[in-house]
Structure formats: C-alpha cells, structure tokens
Amino acid sequence: MDNIIIEFKNVHYQYPDGTKALKGINIKIPKGKKIVFLGPNGCGKSTTFLQMNGVLRPTEGDIYYKGQLVSNKKKPKKDLWKEVGFVFQDPEIQLFSANVYEEISFGPKNLGLSHEEIRERVEEAMKDTNVTDLQQKPVHYLSGGEKKRVSIADILAMDTEVILFDEPTTSLDPKHIEALMKILEELHEGGKTLIISTHDVNLAYGWGDYFYIMKEGAVLLEGDHQEVFKQKELLQKAHLEIPWILEIYQYLLDNNKTKVLQPPRNKEELLSYL
Ligand SMILES: Nc1ncnc2c1ncn2[C@@H]1O[C@H](COP(=O)(O)OP(=O)(O)OP(=O)(O)O)[C@@H](O)[C@H]1O
C-alpha cells in the first residue's frame, strides 16, 4: 500500500543479555496518522521505537520504510534518523550539548543546513516548546520538565517526516502537556506521521487515529478507538483502564440519560450528550 510509511513483518528482537523483547511484531503505520502504542511497563514499546528509527535492528524479521527494506543486515539504511525522529522517554539519554541552543542546533548542523536555516529552525523549535529564555543555560542545570521540552525541541528542529514520542508527557506539568498537545496537532496538520507511546489512556483515547495495545513483546489488540476501547477484557489483560469519558458515557446509556449511540471522543462531546 502506497500510504504505509513504516511496516514491520514478523519482527523479533532479543537483547544481548538474552531478553526476548519483541516476539513477532506485525505493524503497518499509515502516513500522516496519529498512532498510539499502549501497554504495561516492559511490554516492548521503547524497543519497537528503537527499531523504527534504526537504532536497533531485528534479530529476525524485516522493517520497511516507504516500501524500502531498511533492516537488511548486510546493507542497513544508516540515515533513517534523518527521516524518523525520536524523542526519548528519558531526556538524559538524548541531551549531551553544553547549552540549550547548542543542543537544539546539533541535529540541523549534522544535516548540513545553512547557518540561517539552522538559526530559523532552532528559534522556532525553542518558541514552540517554550525554552527560548533558557537558550544559554547549561543543559545539566535544567529541571526535568525543561529537559523534556528541550528534547522535544531537538527533534522538532530536525523536521523529520515521522516523529516518535516515547512517553512524551512524563515530567511535564498540565500547562506544558496542553502546549505539547497543541504542537502535536500542528505537526499533524502539517502532514507529519506521529507515533506516541504512553500509559495515559485518557490522553491517548481522545488523540489517536489508530492504536496498538502491546503485552509481553507482542501486539495484543489493534484498531481505531471504537474497535479497541470496547475490548474490556483484553484491555484488562494489558493492565489498561477504560477511558473515564467512556465509563461516564456507559453510565449515561445504562441509565437512559442519553440516546446518542456514538461514543464521545472528548469532554466537550460528552457534555453535549447531557
Ligand atoms: N538494553 C537492554 N538490555 C536488556 N534488556 C532490555 C534492555 N532494554 C530493555 N530491555 C528489556 O526489554 C523488555 C522491553 O522493554 P521496553 O523498554 O521496550 O518496554 P516498554 O514497553 O517501553 O516499557 P516502559 O513502559 O516501562 O517504558 C523489558 O523486559 C526490558 O527489561
């Protein structure tokens, strides 16, 4: 299919210590969509992301980017990072430059862009993530939430076609979570393919176009919000809660307090049913 940007075919991955982190993953990520990976600690979400941007390669199975095999052991695609950006769960792993400005300009410099273009990209990324005032500050003095925002700015400045966000809301306060969701919306409108992993079922439910629920290195369930969130037993198996919006909607239905048969997607829709 032309619109599939990333495809995994029977991907297995075993870490050098013998841990079997992925056990036959098959996924197809459509271009320009908002994709969510949900699942308990250790189910393989981060390992899946590391495969998607080429940091790790499968021990078995194949990965395709825009139809091109990128996991070929003899001829791996080395520059996948230019097309698939990765905001790490732990910003400490990602950040290494002396100050914030240098940190965010590192990626664009490696792309060989002009000074002017680097400056423009860095300034825009700093503005979007609200770190402009911190630009001369040493990275190691930043708070956890500030580090997280700089790690997001790093990847925005790369302007990659796909962006992976591993637990993007960790360490962010409510104001900055709201700002992040706005950035994600703008990126989506600009045609980017966005893939996030999260434990926050409520945030994911309102946001995602397509969901992969993982458990113990495998995909337990996949589909759009209507298909996935009605599978209560499978969600329980993955230790996931039902989004509170759906719980209240179910209560309204069961008690004849609404006649709308379409599950609401967000708080505003739910309120309009009352
Ligand atoms: N470098 C490593 N060496 C050995 N085992 C690892 C390594 N990194 C991860 N693992 C193991 O691989 C499995 C999958 O881990 P992964 O980090 O992909 O899970 P996750 O779904 O992202 O978890 P979380 O929600 O806690 O971030 C776990 O059992 C983990 O202990």
Side-chain angles (χ1 to χ4, degrees):
M1 265 192 285
D2 284 349
N3 71 334
I4 299 301
I5 194 156
I6 296 175
E7 181 170 7
F8 279 34
K9 285 189 183 168
N10 191 31
V11 168
H12 291 250
Y13 185 71
Q14 181 168 354
Y15 280 103
D17 73 349
T19 305
K20 289 183 176 158
L22 302 182
K23 300 168 188 167
I25 302 278
N26 292 291
I27 52 181
K28 283 183 180 176
I29 308 285
K31 190 170 159 32
K33 296 288 180 197
K34 298 186 278 190
I35 311 294
V36 179
F37 281 77
L38 281 161
N41 288 141
C43 70
K45 303 180 296 295
S46 302
T47 308
T48 301
F49 282 15
L50 290 165
Q51 302 276 343
M52 282 188 197
N53 92 327
V55 172
L56 297 177
R57 279 204 302 282
T59 32
E60 195 187 321
D62 293 317
I63 298 176
Y64 296 83
Y65 182 77
K66 291 186 175 170
Q68 185 194 348
L69 181 63
V70 288
S71 56
N72 186 325
K73 289 212 171 41
K74 290 199 184 108
K75 254 179 81 185
K77 188 166 163 53
K78 291 204 180 70
D79 53 0
L80 202 55
W81 60 273
K82 290 183 188 170
E83 322 214 21
V84 183
F86 190 165
V87 180
F88 281 75
Q89 180 174 359
D90 178 2
E92 300 284 351
I93 299 175
Q94 197 180 314
L95 308 180
F96 61 91
S97 299
N99 70 35
V100 168
Y101 190 95
E102 276 178 35
E103 172 62 42
I104 303 169
S105 55
F106 180 80
K109 270 186 197 158
N110 272 342
L111 293 176
L113 304 172
S114 69
H115 286 304
E116 187 54 23
E117 197 164 347
I118 293 170
R119 197 180 54 77
E120 273 173 23
R121 282 200 188 188
V122 174
E123 283 180 358
E124 200 179 329
M126 288 195 304
K127 193 164 146 257
D128 285 347
T129 53
N130 191 23
V131 296
T132 308
D133 292 346
L134 303 170
Q135 58 183 290
Q136 294 308 323
K137 196 155 177 165
V139 165
H140 60 275
Y141 286 158
L142 300 176
S143 76
E146 288 166 350
K147 281 183 183 157
K148 189 75 183 182
R149 274 147 50 210
V150 172
S151 74
I152 293 169
D154 261 1
I155 303 305
L156 295 183
M158 293 290 290
D159 196 22
T160 52
E161 192 155 358
V162 179
I163 311 180
L164 311 171
F165 292 90
D166 199 355
E167 306 277 355
T169 55
T170 311
S171 326
L172 294 184
D173 60 26
K175 174 185 143 194
H176 286 106
I177 291 179
E178 200 186 322
L180 172 68
M181 297 320 285
K182 219 170 129 205
I183 295 171
L184 294 185
E185 214 39 58
E186 282 166 17
L187 292 168
H188 172 65
E189 280 163 17
K192 304 280 188 201
T193 305
L194 305 175
I195 308 175
I196 71 168
S197 92
T198 181
H199 296 282
D200 189 337
V201 176
N202 292 308
L203 179 126
Y205 172 74
W207 183 80
D209 293 321
Y210 200 82
F211 299 82
Y212 287 98
I213 312 298
M214 289 186 74
K215 187 170 187 257
E216 294 169 6
V219 175
L220 183 69
L221 175 63
E222 64 174 275
D224 66 20
H225 68 287
Q226 304 218 31
E227 291 159 334
V228 162
F229 290 97
K230 67 180 179 202
Q231 303 280 352
K232 291 187 183 159
E233 277 178 29
L234 286 178
L235 290 173
Q236 254 173 10
K237 271 194 183 170
H239 312 295
L240 294 171
E241 292 169 10
I242 305 293
W244 67 263
I245 285 181
L246 284 184
E247 294 218 68
I248 294 180
Y249 172 67
Q250 195 59 49
Y251 170 85
L252 295 178
L253 273 185
D254 293 348
N255 291 280
N256 287 325
K257 290 182 188 300
T258 181
K259 292 193 172 26
V260 187
L261 293 176
Q262 179 78 9
R265 208 62 205 283
N266 52 45
K267 195 164 70 180
E268 289 68 34
E269 263 181 48
L270 175 65
L271 289 172
S272 74
Y273 290 6
L274 293 171

